[in-house]
Amino acid sequence: MTPHADFLAEPQNGVSPAVQEPQPTTNGYHHLNGNTDGPRPAENRSHLRHTPEDELHDLVCVGFGPASLAIAVALHDAVDGVDPSLDLPDLRRRAPKVAFLEKQPQFAWHSGMLIPGAHMQISFMKDMATMRNPRSEFTFINYLHKNQRLIDFMNLDTFLPARVEYEDYMRWCARWFDDVVDYNQEVVRIVPEKSSSGSEKIETFVVMSRDNKTGVLQSRRTKHVVIAAGGRPNIPKPFPQQHPRVLHSSQFIHMSKRLFSNPLHPYRVAVVGSGQSAAEIFDYVNSNYPNAHTRLLIRSGALKPSDDSPFVNEIFNPSRVDCTYNRSPELRAQTLALDKNTNYGVVRLNLIERIYEGLYLQKIKYGQSPEAEQQWPHRILPYRSILDVENSPVIADGIRLRLQDSSPKYLSGVPNASDKEEVLDVDVVFVATGYKRDFHETLLGDAKNLRSGGEEANGEWQVSREYKVQFDKQSVSDDAGIWLQGCCEKSHGLSDTLLSILAARGGQMVKSIFKGQ
């Protein structure tokens, strides 16, 4: 997790085969709205209706995580006519024909990191609607009201709800759109389709998906496509990609329940990474498995706090996207590097302080000499890099990590000290090393010839300020197109992968797609 909650971190389409599918579990919590099973209340149904597969769609969205959910909410509000910023009369006359295709069996957001006690790092007012339309039915406050917890939440005196409650809020929103969401649909290909009228321009796209229950391929023709497929867990070399004891942080809760069945067993656990997810896993194991031995491996010298102070936090205002997009690529890259400590490789200060206190108390019990430190159950190992990963010869079904230890250069006080190697044997490794956001490259393989410069054109896909893929002007009709979500950080700024601007951006997407109808 990141300080602003990376909204596409939970895999959507294109999940790495090394990572198991999210389990249909609430991690020990009943769904807070109490209506996960059984018929949906009549009032909790959006204005959008199911469109048969063989009909031409106005819009197909690939993935149904928070990004697509925000678009669905904005579409509902546009059809409802309650949002002055979405003055689209055509949508009020005819509800759009839309479909959302999601690989997972149900809506899930960070389900593998719903650690008990974890809270959001952004205000609940940055929900699916408030920043665009505070009168929407889909605000977090209305969710609380509908579920008879508004006053109780007010008594908490916080803007930061529990993470499990915020996921429940998004599930509540998602259930409104059951008519137009097809779960267990893994999109595998997007094919440009020329007009039957003889025009050389592409006027429709065929979105092909596989039913994960039956294996049957399905196809839907559509004028517009939004790719919001999410990030694929990044397990970097030299870690093996498919190993039952080398797991990405996104699967922590699901897999830890299976691997750590005995809370009193002396499990040996390594966590790799220096961000919020790594720190949360390290702290959770330390707190819930009293006999465990944990090692947090970080490349830098210390855990660093995230900067979410008020002035700095303004970089996540919706208006900043315009500023960022209109900068030169060089200046954008410099700005992203300067602002990195708001989102990457950083940890909330209160968690850092809790971890520090726990490590401090070990000094009282075990001592603080170098020899005593070797006996500490929990340690942060700074300046460590992974050289090799292999099966452990000393722990059954375990993992051996061969590490490069650069700490003598920085911490020994010895002039001209050099690196050394060390070996660490553990039961399991959790790799908290972020996500790849490149699945659109796979889906758009059949459209490469439509790019400016043709199929051989090098470089990344370029998008407009409205996130629309910039095809060659002569290749695609003006009333058709593809939009990207969650993979435009280099052009649109750090908020691109976060929850912060979803409400406003959902409205922008709806206007961009439907304003010409």
Side-chain angles (χ1 to χ4, degrees), residues 46-61 71-72 75-76 79 90-101 177 179-182 205 207 220-226 510 513-514 517:
S46 80
H47 296 316
L48 308 179
R49 296 291 177 263
H50 174 75
T51 301
E53 293 172 29
D54 57 356
E55 288 191 24
L56 177 63
H57 289 60
D58 297 305
L59 171 65
V60 172
C61 287
I71 294 172
L75 275 172
H76 172 95
V79 174
D90 287 344
L91 288 185
R92 293 199 294 275
R93 285 192 289 268
R94 179 185 72 84
K97 297 181 177 182
V98 301
F100 298 85
L101 307 180
F177 300 97
D179 289 345
V180 291
V181 181
D182 286 312
F205 297 89
V207 179
R220 293 167 177 82
R221 297 176 63 247
T222 181
K223 300 286 288 183
H224 311 96
V225 182
V226 170
V510 168
I513 294 169
F514 292 99
Q517 291 196 11

Side-chain angles (χ1 to χ4, degrees), residues 285-480:
V285 176
N286 297 352
S287 302
N288 291 274
Y289 298 89
N291 298 318
H293 288 71
T294 59
R295 299 293 182 265
L296 178 59
L297 310 178
I298 62 177
R299 288 185 177 182
S300 59
L303 295 179
K304 297 180 174 64
S306 57
D307 187 348
D308 60 352
S309 55
F311 290 113
V312 170
N313 224 22
E314 287 185 345
I315 68 173
F316 299 105
N317 290 354
S319 60
R320 290 296 182 93
V321 178
D322 288 323
C323 303
T324 302
Y325 186 83
N326 290 320
R327 294 172 187 152
S328 67
E330 296 76 19
L331 185 56
R332 280 203 303 262
Q334 294 175 19
T335 305
L336 288 171
L338 288 172
D339 294 335
K340 188 177 180 180
N341 67 333
T342 63
N343 190 50
Y344 293 111
V346 289
V347 182
R348 294 283 288 188
L349 182 58
N350 60 345
L351 179 55
I352 290 177
E353 292 172 341
R354 184 164 70 245
I355 291 173
Y356 188 91
E357 181 180 11
L359 298 182
Y360 173 80
L361 293 175
Q362 290 185 139
K363 296 180 180 181
I364 299 174
K365 183 175 182 179
Y366 298 97
Q368 59 188 79
S369 67
E371 294 75 22
E373 186 177 352
Q374 297 296 320
Q375 306 305 313
W376 291 1
H378 315 300
R379 296 177 64 195
I380 297 177
L381 303 182
Y383 301 112
R384 271 18 179 233
S385 300
I386 313 298
L387 296 175
D388 194 22
V389 181
E390 58 188 26
N391 293 330
S392 172
V394 296
I395 297 179
D397 300 320
I399 292 291
R400 168 164 286 186
L401 301 177
R402 188 161 58 87
L403 309 176
Q404 178 176 302
D405 177 9
S406 299
S407 63
K409 294 180 179 178
Y410 301 95
L411 304 176
S412 68
V414 177
N416 302 316
S418 58
D419 296 342
K420 61 181 181 181
E421 289 190 12
E422 61 184 353
V423 169
L424 180 63
D425 290 285
V426 295
D427 293 295
V428 62
V429 181
F430 287 101
V431 184
T433 48
Y435 299 83
K436 297 178 181 178
R437 305 188 183 278
D438 58 358
F439 188 54
H440 62 286
E441 296 279 357
T442 300
L443 295 182
L444 294 178
D446 290 297
K448 285 185 176 180
N449 63 311
L450 304 179
R451 291 196 292 193
S452 179
E455 188 169 359
E456 302 303 320
N458 295 322
E460 301 173 345
W461 290 89
Q462 302 299 312
V463 294
S464 69
R465 168 59 185 86
E466 289 74 28
Y467 303 91
K468 187 177 183 180
V469 172
Q470 295 181 319
F471 292 118
D472 182 276
K473 292 182 178 180
Q474 304 304 315
S475 63
V476 178
S477 175
D478 291 339
D479 63 347

